[in-house]
Amino acid sequence: MAYSSTSLPQVDAYDVNKYIISPLFLGGDWMSYMDVLPDIKGKTVIDNFGKLNGNTKSFNAGGAFSGANVDIGSGITVDPTRMEIELQFQANLLFGKIKGQLMRSNTDYDNIDGTIVKQALLELLGKGAAYDFNQQMFHSGVHISDDYTGNYDGLFVASFDAKDATQKAATALDSTDVTGLTDNAALIAGKGILILEAMYDAAPAELLDAEGRVFMVSGSIADDYQKTLEADGYAAAGYAALVDGGKMSFRGIPIEVRRDWDSHFASTEHEKIPFMSHNNENYAAMLTCRNAFVVGTDFDSTQVEQWYSLDNKAYRFRISYMTGCALTNPDLCVTFTPDQIVTA
């Protein structure tokens, strides 16, 4: 099947859900730690129980019921926001990219069908969508006056935002909690390990006992921590694991290095990130566990538009989807940022 510079296989909502939206919410490394709700319809209350303790007492025949005061759904909601992706490719450039994708997959690009071309096209679109999604899910806040990071509360802001009297904020540390860190400055050498230590020490018992615990840290913290481990005085086995590419951990908790955060910090003005007050600041970290956060979307509401602009000789794509997040239990998260996290 031949394609001209003004024709491509038509992309529909099913294709977008399969190759773009589903990988965003159901794939990837850090998303495996999230409790994903794929079919939420508008604002949704998340069932949440307080600590179920203090309920077992001496037998009391005929006594009044005196169970512990446990609130269900205490202000914890996922209120999804509609997001829109707009991408444009010059016609010749797009066909060159698709040809490259097909050649890397050992496909004869002179004898191909529309399904293969469509898949290559959607994979290209998905790469652009994934970069933005990863940044916005962590660093967005509705209080930010920016079209990129001001659309909904991301994970950092959601963890710090106390919903009501029964839903407190998670533990939040900043540069004042580690001796020697300087405000409005980049991470100081040797402080990476102290940040991890401070977060661990501040973590509630529920988090330290939870399954699937993980540190998510910027590359700046990870690199500084690795330099500390490589210094004299550390066990040879640990050093060997590092130089051989082993996965880093701290006190048995794996470290997920988010180098895309470093890219975002470097390319974004500080006022567009809810926990920075100066462009020199370049680090952030989160200690949490699997399913502490709920991330919601609605696959049924996905929309897609595709057209060829004759004036610009370019293909244009517009994809919209729903997303939102919430922390289900404030005892299951600790954050460390340069400045106090700002909320609306």
Side-chain angles (χ1 to χ4, degrees), residues 7-12 118 121 125 304-308 315-318:
S7 67
L8 271 181
Q10 192 66 29
V11 174
D12 57 27
K118 182 185 291 186
L121 170 64
L125 299 177
V304 59
E305 299 173 86
Q306 168 188 339
W307 70 97
Y308 181 77
Y315 279 102
R316 290 178 173 175
F317 302 87
R318 182 180 290 129

Side-chain angles (χ1 to χ4, degrees), residues 13-325:
Y14 171 83
D15 300 319
V16 172
N17 279 332
K18 180 178 179 180
Y19 291 103
I20 298 178
I21 306 302
S22 290
L24 288 182
F25 288 92
L26 303 178
D29 42 11
W30 66 268
M31 280 300 294
S32 66
Y33 290 97
M34 306 295 148
D35 184 8
V36 179
L37 303 180
D39 294 304
I40 60 175
K41 307 297 181 183
K43 190 172 184 177
T44 303
V45 176
I46 306 300
D47 291 337
N48 176 66
F49 290 87
K51 297 178 181 179
L52 293 177
N53 59 349
N55 298 288
T56 305
K57 305 174 183 179
S58 299
F59 179 75
N60 185 354
F65 183 82
S66 59
N69 182 21
V70 177
D71 293 320
I72 301 177
S74 55
I76 301 175
T77 61
V78 175
D79 191 3
T81 300
R82 179 165 291 282
M83 302 296 291
E84 189 171 80
I85 307 165
E86 291 186 328
L87 294 170
Q88 174 177 293
F89 295 97
Q90 295 302 125
N92 291 337
L93 177 62
L94 177 59
F95 274 88
K97 287 182 176 294
I98 291 177
K99 183 173 70 173
Q101 292 280 94
L102 298 177
M103 292 178 68
R104 280 191 290 271
S105 61
N106 295 321
T107 301
D108 181 359
Y109 61 86
D110 285 326
N111 185 21
I112 55 181
D113 61 36
T115 302
I116 297 176
V117 173
K118 182 185 291 186
Q119 181 175 341
L121 170 64
L122 288 165
E123 288 174 351
L124 287 173
L125 299 177
K127 289 180 180 179
Y131 181 85
D132 289 346
F133 178 81
N134 291 340
Q135 305 296 349
Q136 292 166 339
M137 182 56 69
F138 280 100
H139 302 150
S140 289
V142 295
H143 65 283
I144 300 173
S145 299
D146 182 65
D147 215 22
Y148 182 69
T149 55
N151 299 287
Y152 63 93
D153 286 343
L155 298 177
F156 274 97
V157 172
S159 72
F160 188 67
D161 189 11
K163 302 299 181 184
D164 53 36
T166 59
Q167 168 65 356
K168 64 180 182 179
T171 302
L173 307 179
D174 57 41
S175 59
T176 62
D177 293 293
V178 170
T179 302
L181 280 179
T182 304
D183 190 26
N184 298 336
L187 180 66
I188 298 174
K191 300 301 180 181
I193 190 171
L194 298 183
I195 289 175
L196 300 177
E197 182 180 353
M199 297 176 70
Y200 185 95
D201 292 343
E206 288 80 3
L207 176 54
L208 295 180
D209 193 46
E211 296 182 359
R213 296 167 298 165
V214 63
F215 283 101
M216 297 186 186
V217 306
S218 59
S220 54
I221 292 177
D223 291 342
D224 186 74
Y225 176 49
Q226 179 160 338
K227 289 179 182 178
T228 301
L229 295 181
E230 292 171 346
D232 293 338
Y234 284 82
Y239 174 78
L242 285 171
V243 298
D244 291 340
K247 189 174 181 64
M248 284 190 295
S249 65
F250 178 78
R251 295 182 180 175
I253 302 175
I255 296 176
E256 188 77 41
V257 183
R258 303 302 314 171
R259 297 202 180 272
D260 55 321
W261 295 3
D262 298 79
S263 174
H264 192 212
F265 298 159
S267 61
T268 305
E269 297 174 0
H270 68 272
E271 65 269 15
K272 297 178 182 178
I273 298 178
F275 47 77
M276 290 186 170
S277 60
H278 197 280
N279 287 340
N280 288 339
E281 295 171 337
N282 66 340
Y283 59 91
M286 175 182 290
L287 171 59
T288 186
C289 65
R290 183 166 285 110
N291 296 335
F293 286 91
V294 169
V295 175
T297 188
D298 182 10
F299 287 167
D300 293 337
S301 70
T302 300
Q303 298 177 358
V304 59
E305 299 173 86
Q306 168 188 339
W307 70 97
Y308 181 77
S309 172
L310 292 173
D311 290 343
N312 297 280
K313 296 183 178 180
Y315 279 102
R316 290 178 173 175
F317 302 87
R318 182 180 290 129
I319 301 166
S320 65
Y321 65 94
M322 304 291 290
T323 188
C325 64

